[in-house]
Amino acid sequence: QEVALRLLASPNDDDWGVLSIFTQAACEVSRVCNAAPGCFHPAPRVHSTVVKLTPRAAPLAEETKLFQDMVHALFAARRKTLRNGLASVVSRDRAAEVCAAAGIDPSLRPETLSIPDLHRLALCCAAARKA
């Protein structure tokens, strides 16, 4: 059930994180049903949730190495601001510029960003690395 909560989470949820982002970028995730322990033999000590993953025709974000590194860096310190969280991807000085180029407030926290926001941010990080 905890994994299902992470798969189904949205921005600003406590469960929104790396698993949610990578899964939802590639697939549409929907809850099918909950399953009580008595539905299984032997009965586990946990409640379960069945989810359906439907691959998207076009992903919400291209899962490049930079996108992966950026998402992992941001969510490793999810309570830091984007300006501080991006320091390991681009320099701290460039982080504010990258956020401005993506149209995102650098004082926001990663848990507030949607997948399209993160994708835009990764594209701007890539551009900043080339410059």
Side-chain angles (χ1 to χ4, degrees):
Q1 203 168 29
E2 289 103 8
V3 172
L5 290 174
R6 290 179 189 269
L7 291 172
L8 293 160
S10 7
N12 291 315
D13 286 351
D14 288 341
D15 293 314
W16 180 246
V18 174
L19 180 62
S20 314
I21 292 163
F22 291 138
T23 304
Q24 291 180 29
C27 300
E28 289 184 38
V29 183
S30 58
R31 179 187 317 266
V32 175
C33 64
N34 291 326
C39 295
F40 303 97
H41 182 72
R45 294 185 191 147
V46 297
H47 285 57
S48 300
T49 300
V50 178
V51 293
K52 178 181 178 185
L53 302 177
T54 307
R56 295 182 185 278
L60 295 179
E62 183 181 351
E63 199 173 316
T64 62
K65 175 84 168 106
L66 176 62
F67 181 76
Q68 291 173 350
D69 291 346
M70 184 195 74
V71 170
H72 282 285
L74 289 174
F75 282 88
R78 66 186 293 133
R79 297 301 304 149
K80 285 187 177 183
T81 62
L82 293 176
R83 182 183 301 113
N84 293 329
L86 287 171
S88 65
V89 181
V90 294
S91 69
R92 190 169 191 281
D93 298 333
R94 308 250 4 222
E97 295 171 23
V98 166
C99 289
I104 298 171
D105 181 354
S107 66
L108 290 176
R109 307 220 184 276
E111 61 208 19
T112 64
L113 299 181
S114 67
I115 294 169
D117 291 339
L118 291 164
H119 178 65
R120 244 185 4 266
L121 198 57
L123 292 175
C124 292
C125 283
R129 281 181 162 185
K130 289 179 184 176

